[in-house]
Amino acid sequence: MNIKHDKEKVISTGLNLICSKGYNNLGIDEICKTTGMTKGAFYNAFKSKEQFLLVAINAYGEMMVSHLTEQLEHNQSKAIDRIAAMYDDMFDRQPNNNYTGCMINNLMSELGVTNQLVSEATANEFDNFLSVIEPIVIEAQKDGDFDPSISSAAITELLHSTFYGALTRAKSTREYNHGKQTMTLLINSLRSI
Amino acid sequence: MNIKHDKEKVISTGLNLICSKGYNNLGIDEICKTTGMTKGAFYNAFKSKEQFLLVAINAYGEMMVSHLTEQLEHNQSKAIDRIAAMYDDMFDRQPNNNYTGCMINNLMSELGVTNQLVSEATANEFDNFLSVIEPIVIEAQKDGDFDPSISSAAITELLHSTFYGALTRAKSTREYNHGKQTMTLLINSLRSI
DNA sequence: TTATTTGTACCGACCGTTCTGTTTGCTTAT
DNA sequence: ATAAGCAAACAGAACGGTCGGTACAAATAA
């Protein structure tokens, strides 16, 4: 049961490739070559390219959930500020990531219409992200920073949808300040009084 | 000099195919077969698949600009309501379009990182859309519905970024009411007083 | 041994593109 | 009017390359 090129490595490498090149534009050969594994090992570990994608989506989702959780965890600053800082940080990372954006958002867009399994998986991961953010939104409502009469789920969805829209735009402009400003304006508009 | 399969038809057909299948997942053969033309005719009209895409982006952009202009043109209702109605209408169309979303948004996501020409073209079309919407935002500011102290460009960008984010999400959930509610919440949050 | 994992050659299908040859419709000379 | 000449438009077979996936023997573990 010794796997030379363990799944972990292929997944994390392939994940980055999918992020930057997209799914249809990425070949198995390139995944293998980049990882340093061979096709035999790849197809021994995954039954198809699609299944590999589903595994990668899952891994990416878990990664992001723990990243978001960490970013949002309680510290000295207020909930609304932690939310703002999290989105700011996400945009700040884009230049270093060559503006690859978010894998989930990219795949929803590329395969949402044509691949049922992928669209279900990405929709599911999106919901996972919302589940991490919503408690902090509720906290901000309790702080009186967000209007408590508005559904916390609706606010959370608005926040993350806007984030994804601005992130997609950043991919083509290769510029992240507009995105940061857009998120800031949104959060300020949601601020009660 | 008579062109049997005039460009117009190929472009409008191919445009819809790109919208629903994406660029990398769509072959010239399928474009030709769907349009009823042959490869000879296709490559006589376009020098490459990429050039065809650029032409299609342009055609789609013009189509959307005139559509948006029409939707937003002055009528009995207030500017802010026309904006809200436009986004509502856009979501209402999604089920009929099989949740293909917006071609510009899709291409920004799929090719933004890997294709310079396409990312420039899509960024340009996005700006064109903003140019159509911003005057109506200014009108809403004059009506006192949007805060006039906020940059109209920033408000417009926030509106359309959120729209794109929610549209992408709709692709994977195949459901458009969340998107409509998100846009409504955003517009109400932007409403002054 | 026996079972599992790896490396590599290979398959058929499909890709974007180019090719050759044919049709088409306009121009021009008669 | 009509026929020759011509260039653009068309049809669709063919090309080299790449794709996802498989076959199978060698290597490695149990």
Side-chain angles (χ1 to χ4, degrees), chain A:
Chain A
M1 198 77 101
N2 230 3
I3 303 180
K4 205 179 190 178
H5 297 291
D6 56 345
K7 283 195 174 191
E8 301 284 334
K9 188 182 169 195
V10 199
I11 293 169
S12 78
T13 306
L15 199 141
N16 285 320
L17 286 172
I18 293 172
C19 277
S20 55
K21 300 200 61 174
Y23 178 70
N24 287 313
N25 197 30
L26 173 67
I28 310 272
D29 281 331
E30 188 170 352
I31 298 174
C32 291
K33 199 177 159 192
T34 309
T35 320
M37 89 190 302
T38 59
K39 272 201 180 184
F42 182 91
Y43 275 96
N44 185 55
F46 309 98
K47 79 179 229 292
S48 68
K49 187 190 181 190
E50 186 189 42
Q51 196 233 340
F52 170 75
L53 174 63
L54 294 171
V55 171
I57 288 172
N58 219 59
Y60 183 87
E62 283 179 19
M63 236 176 59
M64 280 303 295
V65 161
S66 73
H67 174 76
L68 293 181
T69 305
E70 194 184 338
Q71 284 265 309
L72 290 171
E73 79 190 354
H74 190 69
N75 58 22
Q76 61 269 37
S77 49
K78 296 177 74 177
I80 192 173
D81 293 330
R82 295 195 320 262
I83 292 173
M86 175 193 72
Y87 285 121
D88 257 18
D89 176 76
M90 221 91 90
F91 277 108
D92 285 332
R93 288 166 182 274
Q94 289 311 306
N96 304 327
N97 297 338
N98 239 278
Y99 293 94
T100 48
C102 170
M103 182 182 174
I104 303 305
N105 186 42
N106 296 350
L107 290 174
M108 288 197 298
S109 181
E110 183 181 1
L111 301 175
V113 174
T114 51
N115 190 311
Q116 173 108 30
L117 287 175
V118 172
S119 72
E120 280 170 10
T122 50
N124 185 51
E125 294 303 335
F126 190 93
D127 285 340
N128 288 347
F129 298 163
L130 296 190
S131 299
V132 174
I133 303 168
E134 188 177 354
I136 320 300
V137 168
I138 293 175
E139 198 181 326
Q141 286 178 314
K142 285 180 182 153
D143 291 342
D145 290 323
F146 284 155
D147 185 344
S149 74
I150 303 175
S151 145
S152 60
I155 294 177
T156 310
E157 189 166 340
L158 170 56
L159 284 169
H160 218 62
S161 294
T162 302
F163 169 60
Y164 272 178
L167 201 54
T168 302
R169 175 155 149 76
K171 283 189 85 166
S172 77
T173 58
R174 305 188 78 74
E175 188 276 329
Y176 64 100
N177 278 313
H178 275 72
K180 289 176 77 167
Q181 286 161 20
T182 293
M183 287 309 295
T184 302
L185 173 54
L186 171 61
I187 290 172
N188 283 334
S189 301
L190 282 168
R191 214 181 276 270
S192 39
I193 313 304

Side-chain angles (χ1 to χ4, degrees), chain B residues 9-19 26 31 35 52 56:
Chain B
K9 188 182 167 192
V10 200
I11 293 169
S12 77
T13 306
L15 199 143
N16 285 320
L17 285 172
I18 293 171
C19 278
L26 173 67
I31 298 173
T35 321
F52 171 76

Side-chain angles (χ1 to χ4, degrees), chain B residues 63-81:
Chain B
M63 238 176 57
M64 280 303 295
V65 162
S66 72
H67 175 76
L68 293 180
T69 305
E70 194 184 338
Q71 284 263 311
L72 291 171
E73 79 190 354
H74 190 69
N75 58 23
Q76 61 270 34
S77 49
K78 296 177 74 178
I80 192 173
D81 294 329

